[in-house]
Structure formats: structure tokens, C-alpha cells
Amino acid sequence: MRPGDLERVQSLPLFQDAAPETFRVATAGAHVQRFPAHTMLLLEGDPVDFLYVLLDGQAELHGTWNDHETVLAILRPVSTFILAAVVLDTVALMSARTLERCELLMIPGDAIRTAMRLDARFAQAVSRDLAGGYRGLVRTIKNHKLRGGVERLANYLLALRASDNAGSTVRLHFEKRILASLLGMTPENLSRAFAALHDHGVTVEGSLVHIAKPGALEALAKPDPLIDNHAPRGGDILIDADAEIWSSEWNRATSR
Amino acid sequence: MRPGDLERVQSLPLFQDAAPETFRVATAGAHVQRFPAHTMLLLEGDPVDFLYVLLDGQAELHGTWNDHETVLAILRPVSTFILAAVVLDTVALMSARTLERCELLMIPGDAIRTAMRLDARFAQAVSRDLAGGYRGLVRTIKNHKLRGGVERLANYLLALRASDNAGSTVRLHFEKRILASLLGMTPENLSRAFAALHDHGVTVEGSLVHIAKPGALEALAKPDPLIDNHAPRGGDILIDADAEIWSSEWNRATSR
DNA sequence: TGTCTGGTTTGATTTGCATCAAGCCAGCAC
DNA sequence: GTGCTGGCTTGATGCAAATCAAACCAGACA
């Protein structure tokens, strides 16, 4: 483990509330492992023995059925994944694969479950993390069931712009075929969706996307705070911070 | 509150592990309320003040965007809902509406959050509940992204058969237009999907669905334990019980 | 009983998306 | 350089699902 890695992990919402002792015990049995690009970390259906913490690199969660595959999330550091399976001590519903060279901290599931038993504050943090994840998935489902492909792409771009505090040009952090699968379409159709956004001020050059007229794009995308976690709140002070500061990339990845 | 109601609530996975004192405190501030059919219980975007427990009747969770609406889950007794929003003390992402006359126990969110702080076992139970819910949503997303409409319907029918331990005839518990929305299609297409299943031994009479050739239907549906919670496990003893005995109807509702 | 209403079904048409196929382009090995 | 390879794009075609429209049917109700 590199200097600073533990601190980065400890500052995750999942752990920052835990008692120092809890954190120490949980990470005592953990180990860091490096994986090359395009390596399967976990296969759906397999028992989950570790909570994974992505320290460096990018990874993907995907699901399979009937010889088809769909990307469910893209993970970027620092984030944890498959917490739900760890809590229930059961098999994974998603497979995980590295997109590039990755460095992962693997914390034994037993340690996590024990820590939950001993430290109520940690158990609460787990609950908050899972609740945030749950809500991210609800957003994803609404995104997919209520919007068409072009709208999903438009909102994804707006989310990227908001999250990477980018200016008018945003960078896609991974291949377009991955993005297509994440957004629930074929690479061909993603290409056509980008073409459709051309009329709304969007131009593409490799992995760089220029948004010339954010207003026009928003008019098409109709972002909604109840689907897109970045979207502007209706003008009220009631809710000033959605507690979903969440460890994984779900929100960004699934278009917020 | 009727006699026996409290016992039914206490026997939920969410509460059966809690200390009796915890349960007493949490339900002390709770009250039972009855609602007529087709009544909005909760509007997406509104702050969530209560954890709802459906004691009697049927209710629906749905989401809205751009004048469209989609059903996200059907709830049947006894189940809790919007736990995630309660844990995070934030606004609802889904609206809730009664489908028929309903009886609900409403537990103040404060009481739930306090109980989590005081009782680590309860906090663990909340985590398990949310983890189960999370996994239910992952299943739902895989179901929608990987399967076509007819396949979703076929699997839904098989799930119904398995859960209601029905024989060869199953009962749809709610209107077909609701089911259509839940499965992500229009009522017209649900009708056509049923017609398509006719060749595979499925006949419909009102809300009664007869499955003449379960084998043929399974061949079409290709149920998968990693999507459909009812599906037969591959032949191993490793996992004998998925811990997702979960309070709500998600699994059944969203086709398991 | 007749009439109204709303859910369901069926058919015709259009739209959206997937599939198939070819071409393009950059990176890279040789 | 040449010739790969793999990702991306573009076009043509086919299929699945939404939409539009009309008919049907059952229950509610006067």
C-alpha cells in the first residue's frame, strides 16, 4: 500500500464516521492488489469475499444474460463496490472488470460485517451508503424507462460537465462503446445520438465533446433533480444538500 | 391499530432483530392511517417524514418525467417503503399512490434514525434491508436492459407462479395497464405480448392466466437466478438461501 | 333495462432502435 | 513505409415497440 492510501480510504463517507479502532480492525486483514487492464475481478454468481475499494484506475460493473452483456456502472477512484453483496454475504449480481491498470484495496467481508456489529456508527454509515446507492439505481431506472436514447446522452453530457467542473468542453473518460452500453444503446446508435445533438451545439472530436450552447442542450435534455443528481434544484432552501455523496461512480456513470 | 398489527410489523426482517425497547420507542410515535383508493400518499420531490408500512391494501410507487409516468413497484402487505429516503432524511425520488383502500402505519423518520443510533442490531437490519433493495434494483435494471418485452412478461409470469405457490393458473393482482407500465411497455403491447405467449401455452381470461406448458414458457423466458429471484439455482449447495427476504414487493413486482 | 365509463383488445401506421454491412481512421507491429 | 487491428462512423435494412384509432366488453349506475 502506498503512503496516503489508507487516508484516502478513511476519508470515504463509508469510513469517515467509523471509530478509529473499527477502521483499524477492518483494514488490518485487508491487502492491496494490482491488476492489469481488461482483467475480471469478480464474476456474477460468485460468492463475494471482499469489499473492494478502487484506489487507482478505472473499472466497470456489468451484467450478463443470454449471451448479451450490459454495462451497469463505471467506477473511478476512490470508490467502493459490491457493498450490498458483502453485507448480505451472498453472491455477486454484477461482474467487475478492469478497464485499465488498477490498484484495489480488498477488505475481507467478515471484517466489514464484524465492524457493523461492533460499531453502530459504522453500521449507520453502511446504511447511508447503501441508501445512496439505492437512490442512484432508482434514478437510473427512471432515466431508462422514461427517456429516449438521445435524451439520456444529452443528460449524461450535462452531468459530466457539472461533475468535472469542466468548461464548455468535457472529456469522455472511457471508450464510446462502453458509454453506449452504459446508456443502453449500441455503439452505432450512440454515434447517431451524437450526430442528433449536433443541431443543439454539440460537436465531438475523439473523446473531447464541445458543448457550444448549454442552453439548447438543456432544453433538449430537460434535466430533473429527481433523476439527474446534478440538476438545479427548484428554487428552495429546504434541501441544501442531498446526502448522496456516494462512494461510487453510479451517479456520474448512470447520468445522474 | 388493529390487534395483531404490531406483531405483523415486528415480524418484518427490518424489525425482528431489533431490541424490544428499540421497537417500542420507534413505534411509540407512529400512527395508523387509512386511505381511500387512488390517493397520493407521497409526491416525488417532497421531504419524507415517515417510514411507511403497508398493512393492508395495495399501493404503487412510480416516477415521472416530462409528462410521462412509469410504475416502479407494486407494494403488498406487509412491506415498508421509502426507507432509503428516511435514512438519508431527504426528498422522495418516487411518488406513492394507493391502488385500493389501504391501511398504513407511519413511523416518524426521526424515530427510525434515532433507533439506528441507539441499536446497532437495528442499524444492521436497516443495512440488510437496503442491501436487499439495492440488489432488487440491480436485478430490475438487468431485466430491462438485457431482455425484450415478451421475455420480461414471461419471466414475470414464472415469478408469479413461484411466489404465489400457485398451480398452473396464476392471478394478476392488479390492472394490466399497471403491469404494462411496471414491465416497461404500453398496455397495447402487453396485450400483444400475451398473444405472443399463446404459442407457448399461455392463455388469458381476465386476470387469470393459465400456463399450460411451463417448460415451453421457461424455454422462452430463460430465467436466471442473477436476475429472477425465483429462478432455480445451478446445482450447488453453496448458497442455500439468498438473504434477500425483503420487505417489499420489488422482487415479485419487478419480475424478480 | 339502457347508457356511460374505463379498461382491454385489435388493427394500421410511424418511430426508434438494432442489425448488417461497408468504409474510415488511428495506433502499432513488422 | 506496409499491413494489420480495433474502435468509430455511416448507410441500408429489418424488427420491436409506441402511437393513433376504432371496436369491444364489463361494471356502475340511473
Side-chain angles (χ1 to χ4, degrees):
Chain A
M1 197 173 317
R2 296 183 184 167
D5 275 352
L6 262 191
E7 286 71 16
R8 288 199 295 159
V9 174
Q10 190 156 20
S11 71
L12 286 171
L14 183 61
F15 291 113
Q16 68 189 2
D17 234 26
E21 173 65 9
T22 304
F23 183 71
R24 204 188 56 71
V25 171
T27 52
H31 65 281
V32 170
Q33 203 166 332
R34 296 178 145 277
F35 296 89
H38 313 296
T39 304
M40 272 296 198
L41 300 171
L42 186 65
L43 196 61
E44 55 180 6
D46 284 353
V48 174
D49 298 320
F50 300 95
L51 174 67
Y52 292 74
V53 185
L54 181 63
L55 295 172
D56 195 50
Q58 280 190 116
E60 153 203 298
L61 298 178
H62 65 262
T64 299
W65 180 75
N66 199 27
D67 273 331
H68 286 261
E69 184 179 310
T70 190
V71 173
L72 297 169
I74 303 295
L75 304 161
R76 290 171 64 196
V78 179
S79 61
T80 62
F81 56 101
I82 47 161
L83 177 58
V86 167
V87 167
L88 294 178
D89 193 13
T90 186
V91 300
L93 294 180
M94 310 185 272
S95 301
R97 163 200 298 148
T98 60
L99 293 181
E100 28 177 76
R101 197 159 202 285
C102 282
E103 186 177 318
L104 293 154
L105 177 68
M106 297 164 66
I107 306 175
D110 289 333
I112 298 294
R113 289 184 294 271
T114 303
M116 288 174 69
R117 231 178 298 120
L118 301 179
D119 183 350
R121 290 177 66 85
F122 178 63
Q124 286 174 77
V126 170
S127 291
R128 281 193 299 269
D129 212 85
L130 288 168
Y134 181 94
R135 287 166 61 86
L137 294 189
V138 170
R139 291 175 192 276
T140 300
I141 295 173
K142 289 169 75 173
N143 191 35
H144 274 86
K145 287 183 77 176
L146 290 166
R147 305 215 262 228
V150 179
E151 290 158 340
R152 286 197 296 275
L153 174 59
N155 279 292
Y156 179 83
L157 294 176
L158 290 173
L160 245 197
R161 192 174 74 112
S163 73
D164 287 6
N165 53 26
S168 57
T169 297
V170 299
R171 244 185 83 74
L172 306 176
H173 303 289
F174 38 88
E175 292 173 358
K176 292 206 187 79
R177 43 186 286 276
I178 308 278
L179 176 59
S181 179
L182 183 64
L183 294 179
M185 54 180 109
T186 59
E188 293 96 319
N189 272 330
L190 175 61
S191 200
R192 283 184 262 264
F194 270 119
L197 293 183
H198 200 206
D199 302 344
H200 302 263
V202 173
T203 49
V204 187
E205 251 190 64
S207 64
L208 260 35
V209 180
H210 184 69
I211 301 171
K213 302 180 292 182
L217 190 55
E218 285 208 4
L220 184 268
K222 297 184 193 64
D224 179 333
L226 301 178
I227 300 181
D228 313 283
N229 211 356
H230 72 91
R233 311 264 151 205
D236 64 321
I237 323 98
L238 241 183
I239 314 296
D240 52 7
D242 198 332
E244 294 154 59
I245 308 120
W246 184 39
S247 46
S248 103
E249 251 288 286
W250 273 112
N251 296 321
R252 199 169 337 186
T254 57
S255 97
R256 295 201 171 224
Chain B
M1 198 176 315
R2 296 181 182 170
D5 275 352
L6 261 192
E7 286 72 15
R8 287 200 295 158
V9 174
Q10 190 157 19
S11 71
L12 286 171
L14 183 61
F15 291 113
Q16 66 189 1
D17 234 27
E21 173 66 9
T22 305
F23 184 71
R24 206 188 55 71
V25 171
T27 51
H31 65 281
V32 170
Q33 203 166 335
R34 300 180 142 274
F35 296 90
H38 313 295
T39 305
M40 272 297 199
L41 299 171
L42 186 64
L43 197 61
E44 55 179 6
D46 284 353
V48 173
D49 298 320
F50 299 96
L51 175 68
Y52 291 74
V53 185
L54 181 63
L55 296 172
D56 195 50
Q58 279 190 117
E60 153 202 299
L61 298 179
H62 66 262
T64 300
W65 179 75
N66 198 29
D67 273 333
H68 286 261
E69 184 179 309
T70 189
V71 172
L72 297 169
I74 302 297
L75 304 161
R76 291 169 63 194
V78 178
S79 62
T80 62
F81 57 101
I82 48 163
L83 177 57
V86 168
V87 167
L88 295 177
D89 194 13
T90 185
V91 300
L93 295 180
M94 312 185 270
S95 301
R97 162 200 299 147
T98 60
L99 294 181
E100 28 176 75
R101 198 159 201 284
C102 282
E103 187 177 317
L104 293 154
L105 177 69
M106 296 165 69
I107 306 174
D110 289 333
I112 298 294
R113 289 185 293 272
T114 302
M116 287 175 68
R117 232 179 297 120
L118 300 180
D119 182 350
R121 291 177 65 85
F122 179 63
Q124 286 175 75
V126 170
S127 292
R128 281 194 299 270
D129 213 85
L130 288 168
Y134 180 92
R135 287 166 62 86
L137 294 189
V138 170
R139 292 174 192 274
T140 300
I141 294 172
K142 290 170 72 173
N143 190 36
H144 274 87
K145 286 183 79 176
L146 291 167
R147 304 215 260 229
V150 178
E151 291 158 338
R152 286 198 296 276
L153 173 59
N155 279 291
Y156 179 83
L157 294 176
L158 291 172
L160 246 196
R161 193 175 72 114
S163 73
D164 287 7
N165 55 26
S168 56
T169 297
V170 300
R171 245 185 83 76
L172 305 177
H173 301 289
F174 38 88
E175 291 173 359
K176 292 206 187 78
R177 44 185 285 274
I178 308 278
L179 176 59
S181 179
L182 182 65
L183 294 178
M185 52 179 113
T186 58
E188 294 95 320
N189 272 331
L190 175 61
S191 199
R192 285 184 260 265
F194 270 120
L197 292 183
H198 200 203
D199 302 344
H200 301 263
V202 174
T203 48
V204 187
E205 251 191 64
S207 66
L208 259 34
V209 180
H210 184 71
I211 301 172
K213 302 181 291 181
L217 190 55
E218 286 208 4
L220 183 268
K222 297 185 194 63
D224 180 332
L226 301 177
I227 301 180
D228 312 284
N229 212 353
H230 71 90
R233 311 267 150 202
D236 65 321
I237 325 97
L238 240 184
I239 315 296
D240 52 8
D242 197 333
E244 292 154 62
I245 307 121
W246 184 39
S247 48
S248 100
E249 254 285 288
W250 273 112
N251 295 321
R252 198 169 338 187
T254 57
S255 96
R256 293 203 172 221

